[in-house]
Amino acid sequence: MCHVIVTCRSMLWTLLSIVVAFAELIAFMSADWLIGKAKPVSSEDIDNRTGGSQEPYHPTLGIYGRCTRISHMQVSRRDTLCGPYAENFNEIASGFWQATAIFLAVGIMILCAVAFVSVFTMCVQSVMKKSIFNVCGLLQGIAGLFLILGLMLYPAGWGCQKAISYCGHYASAYKLGDCSLGWAFYTAIGGTGLTFICAVFSAQAEIATSSDKVQEEIEEGKNLICLL
């Protein structure tokens, strides 16, 4: 018989697991890893854009995508084009970024799998006498290691030609040049930290759902158990 067990700690772990998976996925897909050096807006573009700003704009570059401004656009809201610059894996700008993509993709797939499984831990807490919380916590720890490896390799690719075209000739491995880091990079770092917090917190979720009070309510025949 399925016993639905809901505790504050187990629900918090589930929510954090889902948030971390989505945060890492969004960061990975974003083009806002590097914010390029400012590029002036041409006088012709200013004339074509009604109410447009004359401030220079900053193109952005991601692991496999980029955002840049297309000239001669009549509508200012549509003058920034975002999309992948690499049509396949081999066209990613740097070998280090290819490695980063692999490590991050593996870590994110593990996190997404854990997030999916975490939804069902309210009803199923163990499989083959193994705690799902403990197994998921272990997987989150492994995913965190993959994410760390990817984030450590990413700055080594700043010396590639693609990055130099955005960041200037002073850009090199682990040197930003004229670029600055975008929100996607910081989101990936924050998500990595939260991944390890989730891995540790999974043990608390296991303790909460297997406590003596939960066992007492199961023995009383309750199918829905909610504990603060």
Side-chain angles (χ1 to χ4, degrees), residues 38-41 53-58 69:
K39 294 185 177 181
V41 180
S53 171
Q54 299 185 25
E55 295 181 358
Y57 69 98
H58 296 266
R69 177 165 294 173

mmCIF file of all heavy atoms in Angstrom, residues 38-41 53-58 69:
data_model
loop_
_atom_site.group_PDB
_atom_site.id
_atom_site.type_symbol
_atom_site.label_atom_id
_atom_site.label_comp_id
_atom_site.label_asym_id
_atom_site.label_seq_id
_atom_site.Cartn_x
_atom_site.Cartn_y
_atom_site.Cartn_z
ATOM 1 N N ALA A 38 31.908 47.056 -25.263
ATOM 2 C CA ALA A 38 30.875 47.913 -25.843
ATOM 3 C C ALA A 38 31.169 48.216 -27.302
ATOM 4 O O ALA A 38 32.312 48.478 -27.681
ATOM 5 C CB ALA A 38 30.778 49.213 -25.051
ATOM 6 N N LYS A 39 30.126 48.168 -28.101
ATOM 7 C CA LYS A 39 30.223 48.523 -29.510
ATOM 8 C C LYS A 39 29.314 49.712 -29.785
ATOM 9 O O LYS A 39 28.151 49.705 -29.409
ATOM 10 C CB LYS A 39 29.826 47.345 -30.397
ATOM 11 C CG LYS A 39 30.786 46.172 -30.290
ATOM 12 C CD LYS A 39 30.428 45.092 -31.275
ATOM 13 C CE LYS A 39 31.433 43.939 -31.213
ATOM 14 N NZ LYS A 39 31.113 42.870 -32.185
ATOM 15 N N PRO A 40 29.853 50.752 -30.408
ATOM 16 C CA PRO A 40 29.047 51.947 -30.649
ATOM 17 C C PRO A 40 27.932 51.674 -31.651
ATOM 18 O O PRO A 40 28.039 50.825 -32.526
ATOM 19 C CB PRO A 40 30.054 52.953 -31.208
ATOM 20 C CG PRO A 40 31.118 52.089 -31.823
ATOM 21 C CD PRO A 40 31.215 50.867 -30.971
ATOM 22 N N VAL A 41 26.843 52.427 -31.505
ATOM 23 C CA VAL A 41 25.729 52.350 -32.439
ATOM 24 C C VAL A 41 25.970 53.341 -33.563
ATOM 25 O O VAL A 41 26.286 54.510 -33.331
ATOM 26 C CB VAL A 41 24.399 52.673 -31.722
ATOM 27 C CG1 VAL A 41 23.234 52.601 -32.708
ATOM 28 C CG2 VAL A 41 24.186 51.713 -30.564
ATOM 29 N N SER A 53 17.972 54.378 -28.052
ATOM 30 C CA SER A 53 19.046 54.946 -27.247
ATOM 31 C C SER A 53 20.327 54.996 -28.063
ATOM 32 O O SER A 53 20.588 54.146 -28.904
ATOM 33 C CB SER A 53 19.259 54.091 -25.993
ATOM 34 O OG SER A 53 20.406 54.501 -25.309
ATOM 35 N N GLN A 54 21.149 56.026 -27.831
ATOM 36 C CA GLN A 54 22.413 56.168 -28.523
ATOM 37 C C GLN A 54 23.555 55.539 -27.736
ATOM 38 O O GLN A 54 24.708 55.657 -28.116
ATOM 39 C CB GLN A 54 22.709 57.649 -28.787
ATOM 40 C CG GLN A 54 21.682 58.335 -29.668
ATOM 41 C CD GLN A 54 22.072 59.765 -29.996
ATOM 42 O OE1 GLN A 54 23.242 60.116 -29.985
ATOM 43 N NE2 GLN A 54 21.088 60.587 -30.294
ATOM 44 N N GLU A 55 23.245 54.888 -26.634
ATOM 45 C CA GLU A 55 24.285 54.257 -25.841
ATOM 46 C C GLU A 55 24.825 53.026 -26.567
ATOM 47 O O GLU A 55 24.098 52.331 -27.274
ATOM 48 C CB GLU A 55 23.718 53.846 -24.481
ATOM 49 C CG GLU A 55 23.284 55.020 -23.619
ATOM 50 C CD GLU A 55 22.761 54.555 -22.274
ATOM 51 O OE1 GLU A 55 22.723 53.320 -22.062
ATOM 52 O OE2 GLU A 55 22.396 55.401 -21.458
ATOM 53 N N PRO A 56 26.119 52.759 -26.421
ATOM 54 C CA PRO A 56 26.691 51.563 -27.055
ATOM 55 C C PRO A 56 26.084 50.290 -26.461
ATOM 56 O O PRO A 56 25.646 50.280 -25.309
ATOM 57 C CB PRO A 56 28.182 51.679 -26.733
ATOM 58 C CG PRO A 56 28.247 52.540 -25.510
ATOM 59 C CD PRO A 56 27.104 53.516 -25.644
ATOM 60 N N TYR A 57 26.067 49.250 -27.210
ATOM 61 C CA TYR A 57 25.487 47.995 -26.747
ATOM 62 C C TYR A 57 26.595 46.972 -26.516
ATOM 63 O O TYR A 57 27.709 47.097 -27.020
ATOM 64 C CB TYR A 57 24.468 47.459 -27.749
ATOM 65 C CG TYR A 57 25.066 46.977 -29.043
ATOM 66 C CD1 TYR A 57 25.326 45.619 -29.253
ATOM 67 C CD2 TYR A 57 25.368 47.866 -30.065
ATOM 68 C CE1 TYR A 57 25.873 45.175 -30.441
ATOM 69 C CE2 TYR A 57 25.918 47.421 -31.255
ATOM 70 C CZ TYR A 57 26.171 46.086 -31.435
ATOM 71 O OH TYR A 57 26.714 45.648 -32.614
ATOM 72 N N HIS A 58 26.261 45.936 -25.743
ATOM 73 C CA HIS A 58 27.228 44.905 -25.382
ATOM 74 C C HIS A 58 26.752 43.561 -25.918
ATOM 75 O O HIS A 58 25.752 43.020 -25.425
ATOM 76 C CB HIS A 58 27.394 44.814 -23.860
ATOM 77 C CG HIS A 58 27.970 46.053 -23.244
ATOM 78 N ND1 HIS A 58 29.320 46.211 -23.004
ATOM 79 C CD2 HIS A 58 27.379 47.203 -22.819
ATOM 80 C CE1 HIS A 58 29.534 47.390 -22.454
ATOM 81 N NE2 HIS A 58 28.375 48.013 -22.335
ATOM 82 N N ARG A 69 23.695 42.528 -32.067
ATOM 83 C CA ARG A 69 22.760 43.471 -32.673
ATOM 84 C C ARG A 69 22.899 43.442 -34.192
ATOM 85 O O ARG A 69 23.997 43.464 -34.735
ATOM 86 C CB ARG A 69 23.006 44.881 -32.144
ATOM 87 C CG ARG A 69 22.118 45.945 -32.769
ATOM 88 C CD ARG A 69 22.147 47.214 -31.951
ATOM 89 N NE ARG A 69 21.540 47.007 -30.641
ATOM 90 C CZ ARG A 69 21.551 47.925 -29.677
ATOM 91 N NH1 ARG A 69 22.154 49.077 -29.870
ATOM 92 N NH2 ARG A 69 20.984 47.681 -28.518
#
